[in-house]
Amino acid sequence: MARMFEYFVVCGLGPEIRTVDGNRGFHGIGGVQYLPSLLDQYPSPNHSLYPPPPPQLPTCVLPAGVEFYTSGFDHNDISTFPRSYPIVLTEGDGSKIYVSCIAFRDPVCDDIAEAYRIPANSFADKCICLVSRSPSFHILRDALEELFALCFSPNGSSKPLWDVIASVVSSVPLPTPAKDRVLFAIENSLLAVEVPPKEGLPHADISFQPLVQCLDVDNFLQLFTAVLLERRILFRSNKYSLLTLVSEAMCYLIYPFRWQHVYIPLLFFSGVDYIDAPTPYMMGLHSGVDTSGLTMDGVVVVDLEHNHITTTEEIPPLPEPELSLLRSEIMKLLYPNVVGIDQLKGSLGSSSEQYSRGSGKPWGEDHNLQFRFIFLKFFASILGGYRNFIENTATHVFNTQAFLKKRSRSTNQPPEPMITQFLDSQGFLDYLERGLGSDENNNNLLDKLQDAIGRGQNPLSILPLPSAEPEIVTISDSGAGLSGAKYNYDRFPSNIRTEEQEEKRKQILATAGGALSSPAVLIGKDSKAESLSPRERAAERERMVLDIKVKLQGLWLRLLKLGTTDDPLSSFEYGTILALIESDAEGIGGSGFVECIREHIHSGWACQLSEEQFIAVKELLKTAINRATSRNDMATVRDALEVSAEMYKKDTNNVSDYVQRHLRSLSIWEELRFWEGYFDYLMDRSSSKSANYATLVTTQLIIVASHMAGLGLPDTHAWYIIETVAEKNNIGYKQIIKLRGFLSHIQQLYISYWGMYSIKSQSVSPYGLPSPHPQDANNDIQQPTEASGRSWVQSMFSRDTSSRANSFSRVRKWTSDSGPLATTENGTPHKLDSTAAGQKKIQANVRLLRGHTGAVTALHCVTRREVWDLVGDREDAGFFISGSTDCSVKVWDPSLRGSELRATLKGHTGTVRAISSDRGKVVSGSDDQSVIVWDKQTTQLLEELKGHDAQLFNVSRPQPHQIA
């Protein structure tokens, strides 16, 4: 039998402390937010009952991060009170995970405080959670609050707290809908849970009252329309619970349709830049988070605190007469005493009875049911007779034009824009596809309601009748209070750790403590060190340097020996090396790490890395180079550049891809002084002192040019540096001509396979999705803890739904409404004037397609890992069709990542590594070397990937085998 609760989880400050900006270690109390970690869980991680908690859980349950405080709970200070709120997470397949959270201040663990030298008696945010697959918000909250109260009860508990948690999580079953009522106890509190029948409206264990209390009827109907038309919806509030409950309420009110797009009711604060994503979404953000740097073009911002909605795009009104009827029904439910004030109290008609039905009663389950049913009747009205227009042919699922004509005849009005857009939405298409040939069609309340209204029956008759009293299922707690002992706690206790977990924790804390005792720290602050003589101090420093290098050698070798199932980025070895590099002000960690690699190469290492090792080594080298650059340690930068040209992995074409190519985003390569210093170093170490001077200089400049090409420096910039150094050394024009030819040759070899590197853009680019937080070269490493939250959001935007029709049509609308694109003489896209009078300016989202001269006017989703190296680790990477490094066009579908080749684009010399399998869209290559995005239902040309010299003409529709 399925369980009511899947997990009990504790999140907060882990042994590895890092700020949300990626800085390791403790950086003070107040005003600094730290990344949360998963501290404890039940069941343990090694069980196999169901999948583990999602990795983004810590980031999402503490969306503001973890903050330190000088005091804990204070009865006189409301800001110190615990907070109870729900969150909802959405997985890749669209299924939801429901989490009840209680966040509170808890004392910092003694071992963490000691390792990081955190002031005594400090407190930090902690969050306990109950995780379930059932949307039973009330029982999740009640059970969690009972566990929290039991922990801090002055009377104590009869069993250890984690024993109580284990009993609740492992013994409470999920009730059978409409049959069981499960009773269970937490200490002396009795709790009950039951689930309504499946034949009725979907189980919604929330109140819809907060929604109608925050928004007046007109604003609410505008929001309802925006959700139906799948706009980008952003809720703002200073209450976490309100953001989640309103988002869930909107999802329930559009039944029988489903929200098919990105759904994040409570967005973590550091993910604010996702608000500028071009695809439809419904997200909630705390009102304290600043969004002034975002474009927000087309976003429907719903301020729940001030009953205010803003958007730059017009939202068409709901059609008449349904709008008036819907508004009237809502007013009757919300304000029955006002709407029915002129009605007789006697039962002369059904209307007066209806008005008095909810009069004077507090909002309850009956109001929730009536409220939801009002919207079901609205859908039954605007979609009257829709089943007659379902075709389910090879090219159509629904005859939209015929339906609109029929509705126009019945209403004596032209087709309403709202209805037209709704019939083209992803939600409506998904609804039709779910109903065709499935069991869901047998329990379709919309169809039943239309039939009941057509037969003149009571609409409420379609709902299941109240069942008999449910069977009581009692869950006993056999071990409660038998020993007579009482367990009291002054903080939330930790679960018992395994030996392996305890050892790993000690190693992390020991490394943190050792980093704080680095040579720079000890020599500058240790009174004992100050009393040493210069010779003794130098000897002590040399000993510590040697100790760090020995540790690095062992960590480096163990990192290379990790198994194929291990993730180096989350390994102890990677974390420790990174800590040693980052925490050492004198650079011993960074230079020592590079030296370890150099010695390993000289010992005969083949330098080939696995995909996972490659990413880890690349990130470590980036950090070492950034730290060395900040200290002006050009020797370490130089050595890192050279070892990066040795280490490689094999790509899908079995071609060596060197680490050096992925270091291009670092700013040091733009500086002439570095390359001049590197050239001087090469000249100093050259053994050919007796050779011709011009030949010697040319030889060393060829080495410099090779590294520039390996990094992917633009030809003009690389040649400027080479030419400057060559002229300073007076080598003559013949040698300069040779250098020019060599540099052009290796640049062509590089570009012919890898493509032209896209220079790192500024925070607002006219060709792409603006990023309000551009990453600096010194802070471009996405840390594992935050990456789990960000990668989850990325997966939301790239989630494989049944169709991407609406996403592509929205992109088409943006590009068409923004005017056609042309190019200037240098190939830079610019917008032509629109010929449509009064056409509204809408943000155009365009990306450069590497390997092509023009712009890409279609967007798609890829994961950050697939693109971050080639776009300079931009925060907004992930929302475009990318150009492959061999100048072919790749259409990425994240659901097909790693699959075999699916298709070839005609007119291109390269191949397509993956092709979108979305129903309703296909990517095809025309004979004139242009790439077309087709809608196979309407056979209309949706978008074109510009960047090819030929014009679009005589484009045939793709054959079925091309889109299979």
Side-chain angles (χ1 to χ4, degrees), residues 832-898:
L832 298 178
D833 294 335
S834 175
T835 57
Q839 189 174 22
K840 185 176 178 61
K841 179 181 178 182
I842 300 178
Q843 176 189 2
N845 293 271
V846 182
R847 290 285 189 190
L848 293 182
L849 182 63
R850 285 182 299 281
H852 301 271
T853 58
V856 178
T857 59
L859 305 182
H860 200 63
C861 299
V862 295
T863 64
R864 177 169 184 170
R865 176 171 290 186
E866 291 168 332
V867 297
W868 63 356
D869 294 317
L870 298 180
V871 293
D873 288 0
R874 286 178 55 119
E875 287 281 29
D876 54 349
F879 308 109
F880 56 94
I881 293 181
S882 65
S884 69
T885 51
D886 59 352
C887 296
S888 62
V889 178
K890 292 184 296 186
V891 182
W892 288 93
D893 184 346
S895 65
L896 302 176
R897 193 180 312 124

Side-chain angles (χ1 to χ4, degrees), residues 620-679:
L620 291 172
L621 273 181
K622 280 186 177 181
T623 307
I625 293 173
N626 283 329
R627 298 293 180 180
T629 302
S630 65
R631 297 188 312 272
N632 200 29
D633 180 9
M634 293 299 106
T636 298
V637 177
R638 176 194 68 212
D639 293 343
L641 176 69
E642 292 185 340
V643 299
S644 69
E646 302 289 338
M647 296 179 291
Y648 67 94
K649 65 176 181 178
K650 292 290 187 179
D651 68 4
T652 54
N653 296 323
N654 201 33
V655 173
S656 298
D657 184 8
Y658 288 86
V659 171
Q660 189 175 79
R661 185 174 72 89
H662 300 262
L663 304 181
R664 170 65 184 87
S665 60
L666 304 183
S667 60
I668 186 62
W669 317 129
E670 307 290 337
E671 299 184 18
L672 176 62
R673 66 182 180 95
F674 168 75
W675 295 107
E676 289 179 330
Y678 183 49
F679 170 77

Side-chain angles (χ1 to χ4, degrees), residues 229-285:
L229 300 184
E230 299 176 339
R231 299 295 178 88
R232 293 180 291 165
I233 314 292
L234 179 66
F235 295 109
R236 302 300 304 271
S237 173
N238 58 14
K239 301 175 181 64
Y240 292 164
S241 296
L242 196 57
L243 293 172
T244 298
L245 294 178
V246 167
S247 299
E248 280 291 286
M250 294 310 303
C251 290
Y252 285 119
L253 289 179
I254 64 174
Y255 173 85
F257 308 101
R258 297 175 181 173
W259 180 258
Q260 294 291 304
H261 305 281
V262 176
Y263 182 69
I264 309 175
L266 183 55
L267 180 66
F268 53 93
F269 290 12
S270 59
V272 64
D273 50 328
Y274 288 109
I275 292 173
D276 270 337
T279 54
Y281 60 70
M282 189 188 300
M283 297 195 290
L285 184 66

Side-chain angles (χ1 to χ4, degrees), residues 7 9 38 41 43 45 47 50-57 97 131:
Y7 285 99
V9 175
L38 195 153
Q41 70 176 72
H47 80 97
Y50 26 73
Q56 72 273 14
L57 184 64
I97 300 175
V131 183

Side-chain angles (χ1 to χ4, degrees), residues 556-557 560 595-607:
W556 166 250
L557 293 176
L560 295 180
E595 185 176 336
C596 285
I597 299 176
R598 180 184 291 278
E599 292 177 355
H600 197 194
I601 293 173
H602 290 165
S603 68
W605 176 43
C607 299

